[in-house]
Amino acid sequence: MGATHPAMETLLQVSDLLVRYGDRVAVGAISFDIGRGEILGLLGPNGAGKTSTISCISGLREPDGGRFAFDGAAFSPNSDANARARIGLVPQSLALYDELSADENLLFFARIAGLGRADARIAADRGLELSGLTDRRRDRVSTFSGGMKRRLNLAAGDLHQPALLVLDEPTVGVDPQSRQHIFDALERLKAEGRSLLYTTHYMEEAERLCDRIAIMDEGRILDVGPATALAERAGLPGANLETVFLKLTGKQLRDA
Amino acid sequence: MNSLHAAWIVAKKDLLLALRDRTGLLLGFLLPIVLVGAFGFIFKVSFGQDGGGMDRATLWVADEDGTDASRAFVAALRDAATIRLRPEPGDEPATADALRTKVEAGDAHHALIVEKGFAEALTAERFPPLSMLRDPDRQVESQMISIGVMSAFFASQGPGLSHLFTARALELAGLPPEWHDRVVAISKTFSTTIGGLFDEKDRAATDGTTTASDAKDGPDFGSMFSQLVPMTTTDVRPSGRPQISYWMAQTVCGNAIMMLMFGLVACGQTLLREREDGTLSRLLTSRLPRSSILWGKALMAALMGAAQLFVVFAFGSLVFQVNFLADPSTLFVVSAATIFAITGFGIVVAAWAKTQKQAEGLSTVIILVMSALGGAWFPIQMVDLPLAAQVVTRCTLTHWAMSSYQGMLWHAKPWTDASMLTSIGVLVAFGALALTTAHVLFVKRYVRAA
Ligand SMILES: Nc1ncnc2c1ncn2[C@@H]1O[C@H](COP(=O)(O)OP(=O)(O)O)[C@@H](O)[C@H]1O
Ligand SMILES: [Mg+2]
């Protein structure tokens, strides 16, 4: 199970990733990979271990076990700032400075992503455009709606156009209009050939956007593959993800 | 990415955020000014006129007469409630010349010389010759010492000389000298009554209550009262001492340092705020070297601290005429060391605390205690402290910061002076230790286990 899409070369290889909080195992030695230009969905209920997995890949946490390979070479984002620069993180919780304007936020995040002044300017303009906030660029984030903040939150992770953009539930608690905007943005990034790792607990969203889906529950990956292949392997050809998930885990996805 | 450059990018962002935080700015810049203004006013009004609030002032004494009468007077001075007499009984007695040198050097602010002829004058029922050398900037102590000298004089001579006081009071009240003899003759009759009055005064002073309220009875009775024992007073301003108001310098620096601590703890707290708001996750996953996040906060805190001191000192110079610029290089070195130490304090609190609330609670207590013990509210070094208490005050950051500013403003010491170097060295060492500890905590709490 879990073979990389044959047409793609592997960008990030995750092997036996282990995350523990005290004695409690949140992620139990999982392995998967992401192909160049692929959107991989990490689908699972709250508490499955998605955020923990992403924290390790983006360098926020040092894994308790396992290895990463990026473009075939060993990769340790927690200790290596240059490694981190190859990943862009869109955190699950909004991570913006409310008292700075949209423009100031993006400029700052571009600078700390390692861009020079001029490149940061270009990146910020691109980010404003991606989030559809060009006409609100001078307004403070505190005046934005939840959906607008989500869009800006997404753009802030992609300023340096990282090889891999990692998104943690980017549509959680978002109005339908902004949600559509985020989908469009992600599709646009995909069309540009970018690689995305995308967690969600929304089934239809995963089905619609992802090349392959990894179904995760209780710190394990139960199966990885395109939605149709998952259904076939589960012995439910043509079934929707919800049914497949129920079969694999024996439980309903909350909030779906 | 170069660490310093990275820290500067973080600091610039934090400064921008700080400028946007109106409440924070008000607290950081307006509150110290309000406090300095309020305390300055209080000092001017109350401390400027009587000795309220302080229990004893140090008086050095030299007995040039060396008679039983003069020795009794010195003993009474030692017992006076408002005076801490030096040299101590076991120490070598001081000479008039030695005391003159001491006051000139700024090592003593009041010195009383019991001149030759003291006993003779008393026998002749005249006021004896007394000379006071004093630092004119120490008005608070002047009042306390005058009261002490007066009560000691009375205590050692008994009520028998009370007619002298009556005459002196009449003189001070502006009556022509011809009246004195007549009034003195009458007053001898009433001596017991007047003796009773002084007994009461003496008791009041011993109880620790001041005579300030009595002063309200008549026009400037307080100052008249303290001049009842005539003395030849010579003002000796220690050479090189800038013309400053001692109390104003104390209140401006004390409040500035206390508010600097509050301000820089608030700067450090932005680290906890970033964690609570989630923006820290972006910083930690960025290209920034991790420590530059912490150093960026420290840099921002130091710059805010410099701005805050500048504003408060400018206010102190303009409104209370404290001459901060008398020695710019010492001002710079002392302020830089103070800012460095307090930045370390703010950053280590932030790195240690788990939440903003915890940081706020802990730091408020520490700051208030250090301010009180370290002499930011009150020049605690003037009070007779037991050794243990002296050790405690020296454990506070405020003590060393206040000492270095006091050294500069009161004694016009340059930063190269040994005692100044000690204070500055302690501040720098504290800052370095605090920042190192903060870095260790930061790595442990933020980098390893984000
Ligand atoms: N900082 C933490 N300390 C202790 N337990 C945690 C921490 N973060 C997550 N967990 C636990 O680890 C498990 C996985 O959490 P998480 O990775 O956030 O899952 P998801 O993102 O899929 O909702 C959950 O049981 C959660 O309670
Ligand atoms: Mg999560």
Side-chain angles (χ1 to χ4, degrees):
Chain A
M1 73 173 199
T4 305
H5 193 289
M8 289 173 182
E9 70 186 278
T10 300
L11 182 67
L12 175 72
Q13 174 89 47
V14 176
S15 314
D16 304 318
L17 175 66
L18 179 70
V19 180
R20 267 196 302 253
Y21 297 105
D23 289 341
R24 191 195 160 102
V25 174
V27 177
I30 62 170
S31 301
F32 62 95
D33 52 27
I34 301 166
R36 196 179 286 284
E38 183 185 36
I39 300 191
L40 177 73
L42 207 51
L43 179 74
N46 281 326
K50 305 183 297 294
T51 299
S52 304
T53 303
I54 274 183
S55 296
C56 293
I57 294 174
S58 59
L60 208 50
R61 248 197 111 75
E62 181 65 32
D64 297 295
R67 294 169 311 285
F68 297 123
F70 201 97
D71 267 340
F75 179 72
S76 36
N78 186 257
S79 53
D80 177 0
N82 290 327
R84 287 198 291 278
R86 307 168 89 165
I87 309 273
L89 173 67
V90 177
Q92 180 171 352
S93 55
L94 290 171
L96 301 164
Y97 297 103
D98 269 357
E99 297 313 316
L100 297 185
S101 68
D103 200 43
E104 287 162 343
N105 267 285
L106 293 182
L107 274 176
F108 171 68
F109 291 128
R111 295 288 275 146
I112 65 169
L115 300 183
R117 215 180 286 275
D119 289 340
R121 182 66 267 159
I122 294 166
D125 287 340
R126 187 180 150 278
L128 286 166
E129 198 250 322
L130 186 74
S131 51
L133 290 169
T134 306
D135 55 338
R136 299 286 307 268
R137 62 191 301 159
R138 305 228 175 280
D139 295 344
R140 296 205 190 163
V141 170
S142 56
T143 67
F144 288 0
S145 71
M148 291 161 81
K149 289 182 187 173
R150 278 277 155 211
R151 276 141 59 187
L152 191 62
N153 196 45
L154 189 154
D158 192 52
L159 290 160
H160 56 307
Q161 298 187 267
L164 176 64
L165 184 63
V166 175
L167 303 105
D168 200 0
E169 313 231 17
T171 58
V172 77
V174 159
D175 60 279
Q177 197 198 334
S178 285
R179 196 163 176 182
Q180 187 55 48
H181 192 110
I182 290 172
F183 287 165
D184 292 346
L186 295 181
E187 267 160 1
R188 190 172 128 193
L189 293 175
K190 178 181 156 73
E192 287 171 10
R194 309 286 295 289
S195 314
L196 272 61
L197 172 62
Y198 175 71
T199 84
T200 183
H201 58 273
Y202 297 117
M203 302 272 179
E204 344 72 85
E205 206 173 292
E207 233 167 342
R208 171 177 161 189
L209 281 173
C210 302
D211 297 310
R212 285 186 308 141
I213 294 163
I215 291 187
M216 193 165 185
D217 189 30
E218 295 182 0
R220 289 167 302 132
I221 287 183
L222 304 174
D223 199 1
V224 191
T228 48
L230 292 178
E232 272 164 31
R233 281 204 286 272
L236 299 162
N240 68 13
L241 260 184
E242 179 122 38
T243 321
V244 175
F245 188 86
L246 184 63
K247 171 89 187 288
L248 286 174
T249 65
K251 54 185 159 191
Q252 297 279 355
L253 245 183
R254 278 161 287 161
D255 281 338
Chain B
M1 208 187 291
N2 167 321
S3 279
L4 190 65
H5 184 217
W8 173 235
I9 292 174
V10 174
K12 236 176 14 185
K13 179 265 301 173
D14 284 325
L15 287 170
L16 188 57
L17 279 170
L19 288 179
R20 298 269 161 89
D21 176 9
R22 294 236 175 76
T23 326
L25 280 185
L26 280 181
L27 282 178
F29 289 88
L30 202 58
L31 189 59
I33 288 181
V34 171
L35 277 180
V36 165
F39 276 91
F41 179 74
I42 290 168
F43 273 127
K44 225 177 195 160
V45 171
S46 57
F47 281 73
Q49 276 157 25
D50 62 68
M54 210 178 346
D55 57 356
R56 279 166 198 270
T58 303
L59 172 68
W60 286 80
V61 72
D63 180 1
E64 301 279 277
D65 195 42
T67 56
D68 286 347
S70 65
R71 275 190 288 272
F73 175 56
V74 169
L77 280 175
R78 202 172 296 288
D79 290 339
T82 56
I83 290 177
R84 181 194 304 141
L85 200 68
R86 294 289 182 272
E88 308 234 46
D91 295 349
E92 188 168 330
T95 64
D97 285 343
L99 291 189
R100 198 162 287 118
T101 316
K102 225 176 174 51
V103 176
E104 272 160 9
D107 294 333
H109 47 76
H110 280 82
L112 181 68
I113 295 152
V114 181
E115 305 280 8
K116 249 195 169 15
F118 181 90
E120 228 175 81
L122 286 174
T123 320
E125 302 208 343
R126 278 184 288 110
F127 273 116
L130 293 171
S131 302
M132 178 70 84
L133 301 171
R134 67 168 190 197
D135 176 345
D137 290 327
R138 308 292 285 255
Q139 292 148 8
V140 182
E141 289 90 343
S142 269
Q143 293 287 333
M144 296 171 66
I145 286 168
S146 300
I147 290 168
V149 169
M150 197 276 305
S151 69
F153 185 76
F154 189 81
S156 63
Q157 304 314 321
L161 285 179
S162 61
H163 61 280
L164 275 179
F165 288 110
T166 316
R168 174 77 176 149
L170 292 170
E171 184 190 338
L172 289 168
L175 288 170
E178 308 91 74
W179 288 39
H180 294 178
D181 292 342
R182 266 185 286 164
V183 177
V184 163
I186 300 167
S187 80
K188 278 187 175 175
T189 335
F190 294 113
S191 63
T192 38
T193 322
I194 295 173
L197 169 75
F198 285 111
D199 276 348
E200 214 162 87
K201 295 291 178 206
D202 204 27
R203 198 166 55 244
T206 320
D207 290 347
T209 50
T210 67
T211 54
S213 55
D214 300 332
K216 309 276 188 301
D217 299 351
D220 207 13
F221 185 76
S223 92
M224 202 169 95
F225 181 68
S226 62
Q227 293 168 45
L228 276 172
V229 178
M231 283 181 277
T232 321
T233 302
T234 316
D235 284 351
V236 183
R237 182 172 268 118
S239 50
R241 157 90 69 80
Q243 300 264 327
I244 54 135
S245 158
Y246 174 84
W247 288 98
M248 291 307 140
Q250 160 71 25
T251 191
V252 172
C253 293
N255 282 291
I257 287 167
M258 180 175 76
M259 291 313 298
L260 192 62
M261 288 196 280
F262 278 114
L264 302 198
V265 163
C267 289
Q269 269 191 52
T270 61
L271 180 66
L272 293 154
R273 177 154 181 211
E274 297 231 30
R275 177 153 74 181
E276 284 162 35
D277 288 357
T279 44
L280 189 71
S281 64
R282 282 204 200 279
L283 303 188
L284 288 170
T285 55
S286 74
R287 191 114 177 225
L288 293 174
R290 253 65 180 271
S291 6
S292 67
I293 299 170
L294 191 73
W295 302 140
K297 299 284 176 198
L299 185 58
M300 170 249 194
L303 293 172
M304 290 291 285
Q308 207 180 326
L309 280 190
F310 176 81
V311 169
V312 178
F313 289 172
F315 178 81
S317 310
L318 294 175
V319 178
F320 295 119
Q321 286 81 46
V322 179
N323 187 4
F324 283 102
L325 284 176
D327 179 356
S329 61
T330 300
L331 177 69
F332 176 81
V333 173
V334 166
S335 299
T338 301
I339 290 170
F340 181 68
I342 296 181
T343 295
F345 171 68
I347 297 294
V348 80
V349 166
W352 168 85
K354 297 216 160 63
T355 62
Q356 286 193 73
K357 274 209 157 39
Q358 194 186 27
E360 237 160 61
L362 176 89
S363 62
T364 304
V365 173
I366 295 183
I367 291 169
L368 294 180
V369 169
M370 287 210 301
S371 298
L373 291 180
W377 289 346
F378 182 79
I380 204 157
Q381 63 274 37
M382 290 182 179
V383 181
D384 242 342
L385 290 175
L387 184 67
Q390 284 182 34
V391 170
V392 170
T393 62
R394 273 168 178 67
C395 289
T396 63
L397 195 52
T398 23
H399 171 89
W400 301 102
M402 285 308 292
S403 302
S404 55
Y405 278 108
Q406 286 162 349
M408 173 180 86
L409 292 170
W410 296 354
H411 306 300
K413 290 181 183 162
W415 67 271
T416 45
D417 179 272
S419 71
M420 294 291 277
L421 284 175
T422 309
S423 299
I424 292 164
V426 172
L427 290 172
V428 171
F430 177 90
L433 181 70
L435 286 172
T436 311
T437 311
H439 189 252
V440 170
L441 287 169
F442 174 76
V443 169
K444 193 171 129 202
R445 300 208 164 150
Y446 287 78
V447 177
R448 297 266 156 71

